[in-house]
Amino acid sequence: MIEADGLRRRFGATVALAGLDLRVPPGSVCGLLGANGAGKTTAVRILTTLLRADAGRARVAGFDVGRQPDRVRARIGLVGQHAAVDEVLSGRQNLVLFGRLHHLDAARARRVAAGLLDRFGLAEAADRPAGTYSGGMRRRLDLAAGLVHDPPVLFLDEPTTGLDPRARAEVWDYVRELSAAGTTVLLTTQYLEEADQLADRLAVVAAGRVVAAGTPDELKAALRGDRVDVALARAADLDAAARVAGAAAGAAAAVDAATLRVSVPVQDRVGALAAILPALADAGIAATDVVLRRPTLDEVFLRLTGAERGEVAA
Amino acid sequence: MSERTVQLGSAAPGDVSRWRWAMADGVVLTGRALAHWVRQPAQVLVGLLFPVLLVVMFGYLLGGAMTVPGGGDYREFLLPGMFAMTMVFGVEATYAAVATDLARGVTDRFRSLPMASSAVLTGRAAADLLHAAVALAVMLACGWAVGWHPRAGLPAAAGAVGLLLLLRFALIWVGIHLALVLRRPESVVVLQILVWPLGFTSSAFVASESMPGWLGAVAGWNPLSATVTACRELFGNPGSGGGSFAAEHAVILAVAWPLLLVAVFLPLSVRRYRHLAG
């Protein structure tokens, strides 16, 4: 549904995209994950016909974004920082306006607007200026504005940036609902949790290209960073536990004194677990909790982008 | 993909339907501007009354000390100048509207829609021309109230109104182009300041003959002076004479100057708008 090959774009001396490739199959949710300045927004602007690429090709919903922009525009919805609503007009006036500009007739535009206002919980505020809306309401109106023509492809450019947790969860629910109804979604986000929650597939962007792509589980597994974490009852056991668990798993264990935890990288997940627990018991070390875990997306992301932990806002 | 979207996408083949949609989209965006005025009546009212305030200021407070070359009432002389200044002030509104849409991301929203791209500019131009017509009507009524009258017949007066709206039309494209280049809504302050030297170095407030020689020449050839002098002539108000070539051919210049501005700034604006895609 979205195919990009070798997209390049520079702004003066700055290279925003350095050959970005992307495939988003119909009906899936693809998360474009990257730090600020990685090139996510430039990619979305090119795919939504707002910006020309210097080189490369992209097709959205079957049409070339450079050569048939109107065909693409009729089939996409754009939600995010870069496609705002009119703050002077009411929510209803905004939706009717965008419906009319999608060439719905007046009566139909009004019907569609009323339906979307209901669906996004804005019926009560429908006739107030959009400038008076709260952050969450604004974002719901943005979302509704991207849906007036029922587009098969939806672009969400950092849809929850600046929202409180409740408003964020609401937006997530709407995205899941749309995805369940068959809409193809391309989502950019800096929030790993958001990508993990919503996306079927992830593309990690750094310095203008996709450095890794796959399902969230594939990405995590690709790093082979499965670990067993053991939480201990007594601080005095930390060193002994690290030695015993490390020996049982055949790897060096890390000690976190602050949380009374010992963490061991493992290859054979179940086998390692089966070896570590009896060894600890034999050594008379009391464990309060044991977790077998994949690395978090944060860890994957940091490894892939080579960024320092402090630089990535999550 | 729904049936409807398929139809929409394929509804653009012929040139006729393309023109029809461009018109329809322009009308929708003009309607948007009208809705803005309904939502912000105070702002509209202040904009309409500001030139009225100037008429009172110049006509009554300063007017006593003014003499009109060739004789005549100063307010009769002033009003055509104020009509033209009202058109000039409009450039601020055009600039602010276009720059605000750009800065807030509304323009990008329009650009992501399958609408005619020309409509964003034509819709703005039509709305601002409508606003200018209302502002001019208010000023004509204000003129009437302070004793100004058109004294050269209705056809000539209609011609003067036409020239004023032509000036505004030209300034719309100057305003759109400046907004597309500068992109900062705050920069409207610069325009709010610059309209004054433009106004004062024209014959809008005082006759250019009363200025020092070189300044008088600048004022005489100021495009604004052409419209003002032509309006004085067509309204039959005092102060339209003067020996210079510019003053003798005011009506021709009042047509030529705005057309030149349109010929320069309309294509530049369209190019700039297309260039937003980089």
Side-chain angles (χ1 to χ4, degrees), chain A residues 23-219:
Chain A
R23 288 277 177 291
V24 183
S28 67
V29 179
C30 174
L32 214 52
L33 198 58
N36 274 329
K40 306 180 303 269
T41 293
T42 304
V44 167
R45 287 177 66 80
I46 289 173
L47 292 172
T48 54
T49 77
L50 292 180
L51 197 65
R52 252 190 295 277
D54 295 334
R57 288 166 46 84
R59 291 172 74 79
V60 173
F63 296 97
D64 188 287
V65 294
R67 285 190 219 129
Q68 298 159 299
D70 274 343
R71 298 292 178 95
V72 173
R73 288 171 191 152
R75 291 164 175 80
I76 61 170
L78 176 56
V79 179
Q81 328 151 294
H82 295 280
V85 296
D86 185 325
E87 296 191 355
V88 176
L89 300 183
S90 69
R92 187 190 309 278
Q93 283 175 313
N94 266 291
L95 296 182
V96 171
L97 171 68
F98 298 133
R100 298 285 282 146
L101 293 174
H102 269 292
H103 300 160
L104 307 182
D105 66 55
R108 168 140 204 158
R110 274 197 299 275
R111 258 201 325 278
V112 167
L116 285 169
L117 288 164
D118 267 342
R119 179 169 158 203
F120 286 93
L122 293 168
E124 235 169 88
D127 297 306
R128 266 169 39 201
T132 67
Y133 286 14
S134 70
M137 291 163 73
R138 252 301 284 279
R139 214 56 63 92
R140 298 204 302 267
L141 181 60
D142 279 347
L143 206 48
L147 296 174
V148 286
H149 55 309
D150 194 13
V153 184
L154 190 61
F155 290 87
L156 301 168
D157 193 11
E158 305 204 357
T160 63
T161 299
L163 292 187
D164 62 46
R166 214 189 95 194
R168 176 175 306 173
E170 280 173 4
V171 171
W172 287 357
D173 284 341
Y174 286 120
V175 174
R176 288 196 191 98
E177 211 175 278
L178 287 163
S179 168
T183 307
T184 306
V185 178
L186 180 68
L187 166 92
T188 78
T189 182
Q190 312 182 34
Y191 301 114
L192 299 147
E193 189 198 355
E194 182 159 287
D196 210 3
Q197 285 272 338
L198 295 178
D200 307 319
R201 298 181 62 79
L202 293 179
V204 180
V205 183
R209 40 164 76 85
V210 174
V211 293
T215 65
D217 278 344
E218 278 169 5
L219 282 185

Side-chain angles (χ1 to χ4, degrees), chain B residues 6 10 26 31 35 59 97 151 155 171 176 194 204 235 251 271:
Chain B
V6 175
S10 52
R151 299 175 195 283
L171 291 173
I176 289 177
L194 284 183
F235 282 133
V251 174
R271 228 176 66 125

Side-chain angles (χ1 to χ4, degrees), chain A residues 16-27:
Chain A
L17 290 183
L20 181 122
D21 303 310
L22 192 66
R23 288 277 177 291
V24 183

